[in-house]
Amino acid sequence: AQSVSQHNHHVILSEAASLELGCNYSYGGTVNLFWYVQYPGQHLQLLLKYFSGDPLVKGIKGFEAEFIKSKFSFNLRKPSVQWSDTAEYFCAVSGPFGNEKLTFGTGTRLTIIP
Amino acid sequence: DAGVIQSPRHEVTEMGQEVTLRCKPISGHNSLFWYRQTMMRGLELLIYFNNNVPIDDSGMPEDRFSAKMPNASFSTLKIQPSEPRDSAVYFCASRTIGASGANVLTFGAGSRLTVL
């Protein structure tokens, strides 16, 4: 069965600090990987995705993630966070076909201190 | 496009009552998901449909939970009888089934359920 682990439950950073949120997945085969973000009071929305090709994926708002197949990881990074990045971040995995389910991690709450 | 529409946005009910949550997916999307979000367990997949057919309901907690998708534009999640441990935010999401690369979900605003 596929699963996702996000080990950081709550991360607190000051503005301009660098960010890395961990995501490890379990899946026996080719994967699609996602990061979704939920800003306070808003819908979950897609931040970035990996389907194939370059393992370094760039998303919206300066976020990027790197797929490391040997480590089953897809960590999210941002070199300099802003107060507006305060949100909950979810990593998700699915198989390679467009009709498969998405399994999410438990999420990481990010709080940015001005 | 109005996006994925869920109702009610908030529901407060007493233990033992029946709860029905509703979802209207994005027009043209042919796959629909129900997730439950809690502090302890994050986003749990309850059930998903492809072309109105339930594909995986292994995440449905127990027989008190049921979900239907009678047509491409409507789905319900029912809890009967409800219990306090069902208190959570329930999300509906939809997508278009396609080749790899299309597996992106659009989420609704969620239905916050409180069972007293």
PDB file of all heavy atoms in Angstrom, chain A residues 4-35:
ATOM      1  N   VAL A   4       2.655   8.052   2.754  1.00  0.00           N
ATOM      2  CA  VAL A   4       3.501   9.243   2.758  1.00  0.00           C
ATOM      3  C   VAL A   4       3.790   9.624   4.197  1.00  0.00           C
ATOM      4  O   VAL A   4       2.880   9.649   5.026  1.00  0.00           O
ATOM      5  CB  VAL A   4       2.796  10.419   2.048  1.00  0.00           C
ATOM      6  CG1 VAL A   4       3.657  11.672   2.129  1.00  0.00           C
ATOM      7  CG2 VAL A   4       2.494  10.064   0.602  1.00  0.00           C
ATOM      8  N   SER A   5       5.035   9.936   4.485  1.00  0.00           N
ATOM      9  CA  SER A   5       5.440  10.379   5.814  1.00  0.00           C
ATOM     10  C   SER A   5       5.966  11.801   5.769  1.00  0.00           C
ATOM     11  O   SER A   5       6.852  12.102   4.976  1.00  0.00           O
ATOM     12  CB  SER A   5       6.535   9.466   6.381  1.00  0.00           C
ATOM     13  OG  SER A   5       6.053   8.166   6.587  1.00  0.00           O
ATOM     14  N   GLN A   6       5.390  12.628   6.602  1.00  0.00           N
ATOM     15  CA  GLN A   6       5.898  13.983   6.779  1.00  0.00           C
ATOM     16  C   GLN A   6       6.281  14.094   8.243  1.00  0.00           C
ATOM     17  O   GLN A   6       5.421  14.139   9.116  1.00  0.00           O
ATOM     18  CB  GLN A   6       4.839  15.025   6.419  1.00  0.00           C
ATOM     19  CG  GLN A   6       4.493  15.042   4.946  1.00  0.00           C
ATOM     20  CD  GLN A   6       3.477  16.114   4.613  1.00  0.00           C
ATOM     21  OE1 GLN A   6       2.344  15.798   4.242  1.00  0.00           O
ATOM     22  NE2 GLN A   6       3.873  17.369   4.731  1.00  0.00           N
ATOM     23  N   HIS A   7       7.554  14.119   8.512  1.00  0.00           N
ATOM     24  CA  HIS A   7       8.009  13.994   9.888  1.00  0.00           C
ATOM     25  C   HIS A   7       7.913  15.286  10.671  1.00  0.00           C
ATOM     26  O   HIS A   7       7.869  15.273  11.888  1.00  0.00           O
ATOM     27  CB  HIS A   7       9.440  13.466   9.901  1.00  0.00           C
ATOM     28  CG  HIS A   7       9.578  12.143   9.220  1.00  0.00           C
ATOM     29  ND1 HIS A   7       8.969  11.008   9.699  1.00  0.00           N
ATOM     30  CD2 HIS A   7      10.188  11.780   8.087  1.00  0.00           C
ATOM     31  CE1 HIS A   7       9.234   9.991   8.893  1.00  0.00           C
ATOM     32  NE2 HIS A   7       9.970  10.431   7.905  1.00  0.00           N
ATOM     33  N   ASN A   8       7.926  16.409   9.972  1.00  0.00           N
ATOM     34  CA  ASN A   8       7.823  17.698  10.642  1.00  0.00           C
ATOM     35  C   ASN A   8       6.349  18.059  10.774  1.00  0.00           C
ATOM     36  O   ASN A   8       5.683  18.306   9.774  1.00  0.00           O
ATOM     37  CB  ASN A   8       8.537  18.794   9.840  1.00  0.00           C
ATOM     38  CG  ASN A   8       9.941  18.400   9.448  1.00  0.00           C
ATOM     39  OD1 ASN A   8      10.236  18.143   8.292  1.00  0.00           O
ATOM     40  ND2 ASN A   8      10.802  18.334  10.447  1.00  0.00           N
ATOM     41  N   HIS A   9       5.858  18.096  12.015  1.00  0.00           N
ATOM     42  CA  HIS A   9       4.446  18.414  12.186  1.00  0.00           C
ATOM     43  C   HIS A   9       4.211  19.922  12.229  1.00  0.00           C
ATOM     44  O   HIS A   9       3.212  20.417  11.717  1.00  0.00           O
ATOM     45  CB  HIS A   9       3.922  17.751  13.460  1.00  0.00           C
ATOM     46  CG  HIS A   9       3.980  16.258  13.379  1.00  0.00           C
ATOM     47  ND1 HIS A   9       3.220  15.531  12.495  1.00  0.00           N
ATOM     48  CD2 HIS A   9       4.720  15.338  14.043  1.00  0.00           C
ATOM     49  CE1 HIS A   9       3.479  14.244  12.625  1.00  0.00           C
ATOM     50  NE2 HIS A   9       4.390  14.106  13.550  1.00  0.00           N
ATOM     51  N   HIS A  10       5.125  20.623  12.874  1.00  0.00           N
ATOM     52  CA  HIS A  10       4.992  22.068  12.981  1.00  0.00           C
ATOM     53  C   HIS A  10       6.380  22.680  12.892  1.00  0.00           C
ATOM     54  O   HIS A  10       7.261  22.318  13.670  1.00  0.00           O
ATOM     55  CB  HIS A  10       4.304  22.458  14.301  1.00  0.00           C
ATOM     56  CG  HIS A  10       3.909  23.893  14.377  1.00  0.00           C
ATOM     57  ND1 HIS A  10       3.430  24.468  15.539  1.00  0.00           N
ATOM     58  CD2 HIS A  10       3.902  24.879  13.440  1.00  0.00           C
ATOM     59  CE1 HIS A  10       3.138  25.748  15.301  1.00  0.00           C
ATOM     60  NE2 HIS A  10       3.416  26.013  14.048  1.00  0.00           N
ATOM     61  N   VAL A  11       6.542  23.580  11.957  1.00  0.00           N
ATOM     62  CA  VAL A  11       7.822  24.261  11.762  1.00  0.00           C
ATOM     63  C   VAL A  11       7.605  25.754  11.942  1.00  0.00           C
ATOM     64  O   VAL A  11       6.658  26.317  11.374  1.00  0.00           O
ATOM     65  CB  VAL A  11       8.387  23.966  10.359  1.00  0.00           C
ATOM     66  CG1 VAL A  11       9.627  24.795  10.085  1.00  0.00           C
ATOM     67  CG2 VAL A  11       8.696  22.476  10.212  1.00  0.00           C
ATOM     68  N   ILE A  12       8.473  26.370  12.727  1.00  0.00           N
ATOM     69  CA  ILE A  12       8.387  27.817  12.961  1.00  0.00           C
ATOM     70  C   ILE A  12       9.692  28.441  12.487  1.00  0.00           C
ATOM     71  O   ILE A  12      10.778  28.029  12.921  1.00  0.00           O
ATOM     72  CB  ILE A  12       8.153  28.122  14.452  1.00  0.00           C
ATOM     73  CG1 ILE A  12       6.875  27.437  14.930  1.00  0.00           C
ATOM     74  CG2 ILE A  12       8.072  29.633  14.677  1.00  0.00           C
ATOM     75  CD1 ILE A  12       6.647  27.545  16.433  1.00  0.00           C
ATOM     76  N   LEU A  13       9.581  29.417  11.608  1.00  0.00           N
ATOM     77  CA  LEU A  13      10.754  30.085  11.061  1.00  0.00           C
ATOM     78  C   LEU A  13      10.559  31.583  11.073  1.00  0.00           C
ATOM     79  O   LEU A  13       9.425  32.073  11.049  1.00  0.00           O
ATOM     80  CB  LEU A  13      10.992  29.639   9.607  1.00  0.00           C
ATOM     81  CG  LEU A  13      11.384  28.184   9.361  1.00  0.00           C
ATOM     82  CD1 LEU A  13      11.389  27.900   7.862  1.00  0.00           C
ATOM     83  CD2 LEU A  13      12.729  27.873   9.979  1.00  0.00           C
ATOM     84  N   SER A  14      11.652  32.288  11.050  1.00  0.00           N
ATOM     85  CA  SER A  14      11.602  33.741  10.881  1.00  0.00           C
ATOM     86  C   SER A  14      11.628  34.064   9.390  1.00  0.00           C
ATOM     87  O   SER A  14      12.125  33.278   8.574  1.00  0.00           O
ATOM     88  CB  SER A  14      12.784  34.405  11.581  1.00  0.00           C
ATOM     89  OG  SER A  14      12.748  34.165  12.966  1.00  0.00           O
ATOM     90  N   GLU A  15      11.084  35.212   9.064  1.00  0.00           N
ATOM     91  CA  GLU A  15      11.126  35.655   7.666  1.00  0.00           C
ATOM     92  C   GLU A  15      12.570  35.666   7.173  1.00  0.00           C
ATOM     93  O   GLU A  15      13.490  35.983   7.919  1.00  0.00           O
ATOM     94  CB  GLU A  15      10.520  37.052   7.538  1.00  0.00           C
ATOM     95  CG  GLU A  15       9.020  37.036   7.379  1.00  0.00           C
ATOM     96  CD  GLU A  15       8.471  38.415   6.994  1.00  0.00           C
ATOM     97  OE1 GLU A  15       8.823  39.387   7.688  1.00  0.00           O
ATOM     98  OE2 GLU A  15       7.701  38.488   6.016  1.00  0.00           O
ATOM     99  N   ALA A  16      12.720  35.313   5.901  1.00  0.00           N
ATOM    100  CA  ALA A  16      14.007  35.260   5.200  1.00  0.00           C
ATOM    101  C   ALA A  16      14.808  33.994   5.499  1.00  0.00           C
ATOM    102  O   ALA A  16      15.851  33.766   4.874  1.00  0.00           O
ATOM    103  CB  ALA A  16      14.865  36.485   5.475  1.00  0.00           C
ATOM    104  N   ALA A  17      14.332  33.183   6.428  1.00  0.00           N
ATOM    105  CA  ALA A  17      15.022  31.913   6.682  1.00  0.00           C
ATOM    106  C   ALA A  17      14.784  30.964   5.519  1.00  0.00           C
ATOM    107  O   ALA A  17      13.834  31.107   4.746  1.00  0.00           O
ATOM    108  CB  ALA A  17      14.514  31.304   7.976  1.00  0.00           C
ATOM    109  N   SER A  18      15.662  29.984   5.411  1.00  0.00           N
ATOM    110  CA  SER A  18      15.475  28.963   4.374  1.00  0.00           C
ATOM    111  C   SER A  18      14.603  27.845   4.917  1.00  0.00           C
ATOM    112  O   SER A  18      14.603  27.544   6.114  1.00  0.00           O
ATOM    113  CB  SER A  18      16.823  28.406   3.915  1.00  0.00           C
ATOM    114  OG  SER A  18      17.456  27.737   4.975  1.00  0.00           O
ATOM    115  N   LEU A  19      13.872  27.216   3.992  1.00  0.00           N
ATOM    116  CA  LEU A  19      12.901  26.202   4.384  1.00  0.00           C
ATOM    117  C   LEU A  19      13.194  24.883   3.698  1.00  0.00           C
ATOM    118  O   LEU A  19      13.510  24.854   2.496  1.00  0.00           O
ATOM    119  CB  LEU A  19      11.502  26.656   3.984  1.00  0.00           C
ATOM    120  CG  LEU A  19      10.374  25.610   4.069  1.00  0.00           C
ATOM    121  CD1 LEU A  19      10.043  25.321   5.528  1.00  0.00           C
ATOM    122  CD2 LEU A  19       9.134  26.079   3.319  1.00  0.00           C
ATOM    123  N   GLU A  20      13.081  23.805   4.447  1.00  0.00           N
ATOM    124  CA  GLU A  20      13.041  22.481   3.846  1.00  0.00           C
ATOM    125  C   GLU A  20      12.083  21.627   4.657  1.00  0.00           C
ATOM    126  O   GLU A  20      12.264  21.439   5.858  1.00  0.00           O
ATOM    127  CB  GLU A  20      14.423  21.809   3.795  1.00  0.00           C
ATOM    128  CG  GLU A  20      14.371  20.442   3.114  1.00  0.00           C
ATOM    129  CD  GLU A  20      15.716  19.936   2.634  1.00  0.00           C
ATOM    130  OE1 GLU A  20      16.732  20.607   2.864  1.00  0.00           O
ATOM    131  OE2 GLU A  20      15.760  18.860   2.002  1.00  0.00           O
ATOM    132  N   LEU A  21      11.057  21.132   3.991  1.00  0.00           N
ATOM    133  CA  LEU A  21      10.077  20.238   4.601  1.00  0.00           C
ATOM    134  C   LEU A  21      10.268  18.843   4.031  1.00  0.00           C
ATOM    135  O   LEU A  21      10.322  18.667   2.821  1.00  0.00           O
ATOM    136  CB  LEU A  21       8.648  20.722   4.335  1.00  0.00           C
ATOM    137  CG  LEU A  21       8.302  22.111   4.823  1.00  0.00           C
ATOM    138  CD1 LEU A  21       6.831  22.419   4.521  1.00  0.00           C
ATOM    139  CD2 LEU A  21       8.569  22.264   6.303  1.00  0.00           C
ATOM    140  N   GLY A  22      10.331  17.880   4.924  1.00  0.00           N
ATOM    141  CA  GLY A  22      10.606  16.517   4.498  1.00  0.00           C
ATOM    142  C   GLY A  22       9.367  15.761   4.047  1.00  0.00           C
ATOM    143  O   GLY A  22       8.269  15.952   4.585  1.00  0.00           O
ATOM    144  N   CYS A  23       9.551  14.905   3.056  1.00  0.00           N
ATOM    145  CA  CYS A  23       8.488  14.026   2.579  1.00  0.00           C
ATOM    146  C   CYS A  23       9.132  12.738   2.104  1.00  0.00           C
ATOM    147  O   CYS A  23       9.996  12.762   1.216  1.00  0.00           O
ATOM    148  CB  CYS A  23       7.700  14.668   1.444  1.00  0.00           C
ATOM    149  SG  CYS A  23       6.517  13.549   0.648  1.00  0.00           S
ATOM    150  N   ASN A  24       8.709  11.641   2.686  1.00  0.00           N
ATOM    151  CA  ASN A  24       9.134  10.324   2.227  1.00  0.00           C
ATOM    152  C   ASN A  24       7.901   9.506   1.875  1.00  0.00           C
ATOM    153  O   ASN A  24       6.880   9.592   2.554  1.00  0.00           O
ATOM    154  CB  ASN A  24       9.943   9.597   3.306  1.00  0.00           C
ATOM    155  CG  ASN A  24      11.303  10.211   3.494  1.00  0.00           C
ATOM    156  OD1 ASN A  24      11.488  11.085   4.341  1.00  0.00           O
ATOM    157  ND2 ASN A  24      12.257   9.767   2.702  1.00  0.00           N
ATOM    158  N   TYR A  25       8.024   8.733   0.827  1.00  0.00           N
ATOM    159  CA  TYR A  25       6.862   7.970   0.376  1.00  0.00           C
ATOM    160  C   TYR A  25       7.208   6.489   0.286  1.00  0.00           C
ATOM    161  O   TYR A  25       8.380   6.095   0.232  1.00  0.00           O
ATOM    162  CB  TYR A  25       6.381   8.475  -0.987  1.00  0.00           C
ATOM    163  CG  TYR A  25       7.356   8.200  -2.107  1.00  0.00           C
ATOM    164  CD1 TYR A  25       7.285   7.020  -2.848  1.00  0.00           C
ATOM    165  CD2 TYR A  25       8.368   9.115  -2.397  1.00  0.00           C
ATOM    166  CE1 TYR A  25       8.197   6.752  -3.841  1.00  0.00           C
ATOM    167  CE2 TYR A  25       9.283   8.858  -3.399  1.00  0.00           C
ATOM    168  CZ  TYR A  25       9.196   7.668  -4.110  1.00  0.00           C
ATOM    169  OH  TYR A  25      10.107   7.414  -5.097  1.00  0.00           O
ATOM    170  N   SER A  26       6.166   5.702   0.268  1.00  0.00           N
ATOM    171  CA  SER A  26       6.299   4.271   0.069  1.00  0.00           C
ATOM    172  C   SER A  26       5.399   3.879  -1.087  1.00  0.00           C
ATOM    173  O   SER A  26       4.175   4.084  -1.013  1.00  0.00           O
ATOM    174  CB  SER A  26       5.897   3.514   1.333  1.00  0.00           C
ATOM    175  OG  SER A  26       5.874   2.118   1.095  1.00  0.00           O
ATOM    176  N   TYR A  27       5.996   3.392  -2.154  1.00  0.00           N
ATOM    177  CA  TYR A  27       5.211   2.950  -3.313  1.00  0.00           C
ATOM    178  C   TYR A  27       6.093   2.079  -4.177  1.00  0.00           C
ATOM    179  O   TYR A  27       7.222   2.439  -4.471  1.00  0.00           O
ATOM    180  CB  TYR A  27       4.705   4.151  -4.118  1.00  0.00           C
ATOM    181  CG  TYR A  27       3.762   3.769  -5.237  1.00  0.00           C
ATOM    182  CD1 TYR A  27       2.405   3.557  -4.985  1.00  0.00           C
ATOM    183  CD2 TYR A  27       4.234   3.586  -6.538  1.00  0.00           C
ATOM    184  CE1 TYR A  27       1.548   3.184  -6.007  1.00  0.00           C
ATOM    185  CE2 TYR A  27       3.372   3.212  -7.549  1.00  0.00           C
ATOM    186  CZ  TYR A  27       2.036   3.019  -7.294  1.00  0.00           C
ATOM    187  OH  TYR A  27       1.191   2.642  -8.291  1.00  0.00           O
ATOM    188  N   GLY A  28       5.605   0.958  -4.593  1.00  0.00           N
ATOM    189  CA  GLY A  28       6.399   0.009  -5.365  1.00  0.00           C
ATOM    190  C   GLY A  28       6.304   0.202  -6.847  1.00  0.00           C
ATOM    191  O   GLY A  28       5.734  -0.638  -7.537  1.00  0.00           O
ATOM    192  N   GLY A  29       6.863   1.292  -7.350  1.00  0.00           N
ATOM    193  CA  GLY A  29       6.816   1.500  -8.786  1.00  0.00           C
ATOM    194  C   GLY A  29       6.994   2.970  -9.135  1.00  0.00           C
ATOM    195  O   GLY A  29       7.384   3.784  -8.308  1.00  0.00           O
ATOM    196  N   THR A  30       6.686   3.290 -10.383  1.00  0.00           N
ATOM    197  CA  THR A  30       6.782   4.673 -10.850  1.00  0.00           C
ATOM    198  C   THR A  30       5.749   5.521 -10.121  1.00  0.00           C
ATOM    199  O   THR A  30       4.606   5.096  -9.930  1.00  0.00           O
ATOM    200  CB  THR A  30       6.517   4.733 -12.359  1.00  0.00           C
ATOM    201  OG1 THR A  30       7.449   3.877 -13.027  1.00  0.00           O
ATOM    202  CG2 THR A  30       6.672   6.155 -12.874  1.00  0.00           C
ATOM    203  N   VAL A  31       6.178   6.706  -9.720  1.00  0.00           N
ATOM    204  CA  VAL A  31       5.289   7.538  -8.915  1.00  0.00           C
ATOM    205  C   VAL A  31       5.061   8.906  -9.544  1.00  0.00           C
ATOM    206  O   VAL A  31       5.860   9.394 -10.323  1.00  0.00           O
ATOM    207  CB  VAL A  31       5.826   7.767  -7.487  1.00  0.00           C
ATOM    208  CG1 VAL A  31       5.832   6.479  -6.698  1.00  0.00           C
ATOM    209  CG2 VAL A  31       7.218   8.393  -7.519  1.00  0.00           C
ATOM    210  N   ASN A  32       3.946   9.481  -9.169  1.00  0.00           N
ATOM    211  CA  ASN A  32       3.689  10.903  -9.337  1.00  0.00           C
ATOM    212  C   ASN A  32       3.702  11.496  -7.934  1.00  0.00           C
ATOM    213  O   ASN A  32       3.155  10.905  -7.002  1.00  0.00           O
ATOM    214  CB  ASN A  32       2.330  11.160  -9.979  1.00  0.00           C
ATOM    215  CG  ASN A  32       2.284  10.749 -11.439  1.00  0.00           C
ATOM    216  OD1 ASN A  32       3.300  10.437 -12.059  1.00  0.00           O
ATOM    217  ND2 ASN A  32       1.092  10.743 -11.997  1.00  0.00           N
ATOM    218  N   LEU A  33       4.335  12.655  -7.782  1.00  0.00           N
ATOM    219  CA  LEU A  33       4.468  13.266  -6.466  1.00  0.00           C
ATOM    220  C   LEU A  33       3.973  14.699  -6.499  1.00  0.00           C
ATOM    221  O   LEU A  33       4.124  15.393  -7.513  1.00  0.00           O
ATOM    222  CB  LEU A  33       5.940  13.226  -6.011  1.00  0.00           C
ATOM    223  CG  LEU A  33       6.478  11.817  -5.771  1.00  0.00           C
ATOM    224  CD1 LEU A  33       7.996  11.800  -5.848  1.00  0.00           C
ATOM    225  CD2 LEU A  33       6.013  11.307  -4.404  1.00  0.00           C
ATOM    226  N   PHE A  34       3.400  15.143  -5.382  1.00  0.00           N
ATOM    227  CA  PHE A  34       2.756  16.448  -5.322  1.00  0.00           C
ATOM    228  C   PHE A  34       3.052  17.108  -3.978  1.00  0.00           C
ATOM    229  O   PHE A  34       3.235  16.450  -2.957  1.00  0.00           O
ATOM    230  CB  PHE A  34       1.226  16.296  -5.439  1.00  0.00           C
ATOM    231  CG  PHE A  34       0.760  15.462  -6.600  1.00  0.00           C
ATOM    232  CD1 PHE A  34       0.747  14.077  -6.520  1.00  0.00           C
ATOM    233  CD2 PHE A  34       0.312  16.057  -7.766  1.00  0.00           C
ATOM    234  CE1 PHE A  34       0.308  13.295  -7.586  1.00  0.00           C
ATOM    235  CE2 PHE A  34      -0.135  15.294  -8.831  1.00  0.00           C
ATOM    236  CZ  PHE A  34      -0.124  13.920  -8.747  1.00  0.00           C
ATOM    237  N   TRP A  35       3.044  18.417  -4.010  1.00  0.00           N
ATOM    238  CA  TRP A  35       2.914  19.213  -2.800  1.00  0.00           C
ATOM    239  C   TRP A  35       1.698  20.117  -2.981  1.00  0.00           C
ATOM    240  O   TRP A  35       1.562  20.815  -3.991  1.00  0.00           O
ATOM    241  CB  TRP A  35       4.151  20.078  -2.550  1.00  0.00           C
ATOM    242  CG  TRP A  35       5.255  19.348  -1.853  1.00  0.00           C
ATOM    243  CD1 TRP A  35       6.343  18.749  -2.426  1.00  0.00           C
ATOM    244  CD2 TRP A  35       5.394  19.145  -0.446  1.00  0.00           C
ATOM    245  NE1 TRP A  35       7.148  18.187  -1.457  1.00  0.00           N
ATOM    246  CE2 TRP A  35       6.593  18.414  -0.237  1.00  0.00           C
ATOM    247  CE3 TRP A  35       4.632  19.506   0.672  1.00  0.00           C
ATOM    248  CZ2 TRP A  35       7.036  18.049   1.039  1.00  0.00           C
ATOM    249  CZ3 TRP A  35       5.077  19.143   1.929  1.00  0.00           C
ATOM    250  CH2 TRP A  35       6.265  18.422   2.109  1.00  0.00           C
TER     251      TRP A  35
END
